[in-house]
Amino acid sequence: MKKSILITGGAGFIGSHVVRLFVNRYPDYRIINLDCLTYAGNLENLSDIEGKTNYVFSKVDINDSTQLEQVFNDFQVTDVIHLAAESHVDRSITDPLSFVKTNVVGTVNLLNAAKNYWKDLSQHLFYHVSTDEVYGSLDNGGFFTESTPYDPQSPYSASKAASDHFVRAYANTYGLRTVLSNCSNNYGPNQFPEKLIPLCIHNIKEEKPLPVYGKGENVRDWLYVEDHARAIDLLFHQGETGNTYNIGGFNEWKNIDIVRLVCEIMDQKLGRTAGESAKLITFVKDRAGHDLRYAIDAKKINEELGWKPLQTFETGIEKTIHWYLDNEAWLQRVTSGDYLKYYQEHYG
Ligand code: NAD
Ligand code: DAU
């Protein structure tokens, strides 16, 4: 094996796309998917690669330092790509402590495990996956660049900002080789239907209300998940040690416009009369402390490494809606909780 890469959070939405890309593209790397399978982790996302000889799954919580140490020893881990996290802003508002536990303490635990296991830190890489939300909220002008000061506004973004600071502190203090990336909103197959786009697709199918927070005027920059996975692959191999890279879709949308677009496409796909699904749009109480706008300037990764998204929003949203319509059973299982029962029986 040329490398033995520990990918944390590999059963989640983005993690499963990163794991699949690495397993398929690099047959001479061993890929260890470490995930404790919270409600957001689903091994069914990776059923197509589970038999591959360069792929291993390990059910471990990043807060468990003994088990982490064991994994580093058992698989002689050479590098880490860290995605495991609590990721949903609304959940962070009702339960901030669980975000501190996984995103901050869990990250420090993982940093310690790597630092203690690796003898020559210059030979190994700790790649930390983060979010554009650490930069705070923009009004209607400007973009986040890599030098925008941190100004997190939600318990989720505060926990991710803290984890970013710890990664940089380990680089500065102990000489750990690190690369960080901060990405905008992802969408695509396998996203848990608590996030805006899959929630709308699911609710339109079920003819349930589509809750739009406030007036729906908040703006997000959307990137197809496989384009994010490609950026992570590129930065893992070619990112400059100690550097941070912003990743974004050059694709800003007001929430209400995106919800209307999903309604239009779903009407066509489901053979409903035009305008039928939009009747489900329901304006509800705004999210507490709702950030108005995120917009990424992804010039650095574009100019230095030649990365740009392959999917346009038109092709990406089409593929996403197709995937959810073709995978009704997946959607049914994750919304009914059947898959959690399955994991309890199989993994305890
Ligand atoms: P997700 O919620 O879909 O998946 C998170 C995964 O981490 C799950 O498989 C879960 O089981 C696992 N996990 C959670 N706590 C764990 C713990 N204590 N130990 C081990 N595993 C644990 O999240 P996602 O949307 O795929 O996001 C992945 C990463 O990318 C996160 O770090 C997130 O902050 C970051 N990110 C997400 C987006 C986005 O739009 N979704 C954008 C930018 C950055
Ligand atoms: O910007 C990157 C971040 O994007 C990631 O770091 C987070 O992990 C990811 O969850 C996402 O955060 P958001 O809060 O932007 O995503 P969400 O899908 O929850 O919401 C998108 C927008 O839609 C946001 O402005 C809130 C709004 N919204 C969301 C939901 C779930 C609604 O209006 N109604 C809803 O029901």
Side-chain angles (χ1 to χ4, degrees):
M1 288 284 162
K2 266 170 93 179
K3 284 180 184 295
S4 192
I5 307 173
L6 183 72
I7 301 185
T8 70
F13 166 49
I14 302 171
S16 59
H17 290 270
V18 175
V19 166
R20 176 177 300 101
L21 184 156
F22 273 75
V23 165
N24 288 333
R25 186 174 287 176
Y26 304 107
D28 52 352
Y29 291 177
R30 173 165 51 208
I31 303 302
I32 307 115
N33 170 10
L34 182 145
D35 198 299
C36 73
L37 302 177
T38 66
Y39 77 96
N42 185 352
L43 284 180
E44 206 181 324
N45 295 347
L46 291 165
S47 52
D48 56 321
I49 59 150
E50 70 189 2
K52 297 259 184 173
T53 52
N54 63 336
Y55 171 70
V56 193
F57 172 68
S58 179
K59 184 176 182 295
V60 169
D61 189 321
I62 54 169
N63 283 297
D64 186 334
S65 43
T66 311
Q67 282 208 54
L68 273 187
E69 190 186 328
Q70 183 85 40
V71 169
F72 273 80
N73 278 309
D74 287 351
F75 298 109
Q76 296 164 28
V77 171
T78 58
D79 304 271
V80 170
I81 302 178
H82 178 36
L83 292 113
E86 288 295 339
S87 69
H88 193 43
V89 174
D90 291 329
R91 288 179 191 255
S92 83
I93 294 168
T94 48
D95 182 15
L97 265 182
S98 65
F99 282 67
V100 175
K101 193 167 167 236
T102 287
N103 300 359
V104 187
V105 182
T107 297
V108 177
N109 234 354
L110 186 65
L111 285 162
N112 273 339
K115 171 177 82 64
N116 295 340
Y117 177 74
W118 292 333
K119 306 273 175 301
D120 176 359
L121 294 181
S122 70
Q123 298 302 306
H124 307 280
L125 181 68
F126 190 103
Y127 183 129
H128 180 59
V129 176
S130 192
T131 170
D132 60 356
E133 298 197 15
V134 298
Y135 299 122
S137 181
L138 292 165
D139 54 21
N140 287 321
F143 295 89
F144 297 135
T145 71
E146 287 79 0
S147 54
T148 301
Y150 274 31
D151 186 20
Q153 299 291 321
S154 73
Y156 163 71
S157 53
S159 70
K160 290 296 292 186
S163 71
D164 294 8
H165 289 318
F166 270 105
V167 172
R168 294 195 180 101
Y170 270 62
N172 179 63
T173 310
Y174 307 108
L176 192 68
R177 271 190 66 222
T178 58
V179 166
L180 275 92
S181 55
N182 296 82
C183 187
S184 64
N185 285 59
N186 285 212
Y187 70 99
N190 304 104
Q191 187 168 33
F192 195 82
E194 65 187 352
K195 308 276 164 71
L196 182 66
I197 290 179
L199 177 86
C200 286
I201 298 172
H202 178 59
N203 285 12
I204 291 170
K205 266 185 62 204
E206 304 275 315
E207 299 183 69
K208 288 184 180 159
L210 308 176
V212 174
Y213 298 161
K215 293 184 178 151
E217 286 184 343
N218 304 66
V219 174
R220 297 292 182 264
D221 166 20
W222 293 93
L223 177 69
Y224 191 65
V225 63
E226 286 178 7
D227 281 322
H228 187 188
R230 286 175 41 251
I232 291 173
D233 175 19
L234 187 66
L235 292 173
F236 176 82
H237 290 98
Q238 294 179 41
E240 202 175 313
T241 300
N243 268 22
T244 294
Y245 297 83
N246 280 352
I247 306 170
F250 308 97
N251 179 38
E252 288 183 54
W253 284 78
K254 275 189 185 169
N255 292 340
I256 186 63
D257 294 336
I258 232 168
V259 173
R260 290 207 174 106
L261 176 74
V262 173
C263 287
E264 256 174 53
I265 304 176
M266 288 291 284
D267 279 343
Q268 288 161 17
K269 301 279 176 213
L270 298 173
R272 292 183 186 163
T273 321
E276 192 71 20
S277 300
K279 289 185 193 150
L280 299 167
I281 293 174
T282 312
F283 291 94
V284 298
K285 188 168 174 266
D286 209 351
R287 174 184 277 174
H290 199 172
D291 288 340
L292 177 65
R293 172 172 169 256
Y294 306 140
I296 279 278
D297 178 349
K299 212 187 290 159
K300 178 174 172 182
I301 184 172
N302 174 254
E303 287 180 357
E304 290 183 11
L305 298 169
W307 175 89
K308 62 174 195 287
L310 290 182
Q311 296 297 327
T312 63
F313 194 58
E314 287 66 30
T315 57
I317 197 77
E318 183 80 21
K319 277 158 93 85
T320 304
I321 290 176
H322 256 287
W323 187 86
Y324 280 94
L325 293 177
D326 286 350
N327 288 275
E328 196 162 332
W330 182 94
L331 199 51
Q332 210 56 50
R333 277 194 290 274
V334 302
T335 47
S336 75
D338 273 3
Y339 81 110
L340 280 180
K341 233 188 301 161
Y342 170 85
Y343 289 133
Q344 263 147 22
E345 282 162 18
H346 285 76
Y347 300 102

